[in-house]
Amino acid sequence: MDKLVEQIIKPILETNGIKKVIGIYGGRFQPFGPHHLKTYKWLKSKVDDAYISTSNIKKPPRHPMNFKEKVRHMSKMGVPSSKIIMEKSPYVAKNLEKKFNPKTTAFVYVFGEKDA
């Protein structure tokens, strides 16, 4: 996979003016578990910068945690709070995308199988 990225994908992106690849791991994370952390770390190793996007919906029992509670929980597990962003829909990071130049930045989204 690393050879594929380095030898094929990066040159294509650079040819098209892309200088930075942002990874976005979106989900409800109710709660954020060790398997989520493993996925975030994997994503972080594959892109220039990685973020987690989640919502602020709190409707127990299916959604027991609001955004602030999720950030606290994820931070305790080792995710920097600056890398956790709140979005209305965690699968489309519109707020985050506004912070980057769309002509020089590519966004890669990952999410769990149950969200596919």
Side-chain angles (χ1 to χ4, degrees):
M1 178 67 141
D2 289 333
K3 279 187 176 182
L4 174 71
V5 171
E6 290 299 319
Q7 294 178 0
I8 297 173
I9 296 173
K10 279 198 173 186
I12 291 170
L13 293 174
E14 289 168 358
T15 300
N16 289 295
I18 301 299
K19 298 182 182 347
K20 189 169 196 163
V21 178
I22 303 295
I24 302 168
Y25 182 21
R28 291 183 307 119
F29 306 114
Q30 297 279 0
F32 188 82
H35 58 294
H36 295 122
L37 182 61
K38 185 177 178 181
T39 301
Y40 171 72
K41 287 181 177 180
W42 171 85
L43 177 62
K44 195 168 85 165
S45 74
K46 303 295 181 194
V47 296
D48 297 315
D49 211 353
Y51 292 85
I52 292 174
S53 65
T54 191
S55 66
N56 192 34
I57 297 170
K58 182 173 183 171
K59 293 180 183 176
R62 191 160 181 240
H63 302 273
M65 302 169 78
N66 66 23
F67 179 75
K68 188 175 178 180
E69 292 165 325
K70 289 186 248 185
V71 169
R72 190 175 333 122
H73 180 71
M74 291 178 198
S75 295
K76 285 181 182 178
M77 293 183 73
V79 179
S81 61
S82 63
K83 299 299 181 184
I84 307 165
I85 56 167
M86 183 171 61
E87 295 284 352
K88 185 174 183 179
S89 169
Y91 308 108
V92 183
K94 291 181 181 182
N95 293 327
L96 180 64
E97 288 181 6
K98 291 176 188 174
K99 296 180 181 184
F100 296 93
N101 182 340
K103 292 180 181 177
T104 60
T105 308
F107 295 92
V108 177
Y109 285 84
V110 298
F111 46 88
E113 183 178 354
K114 71 177 178 62
D115 297 321

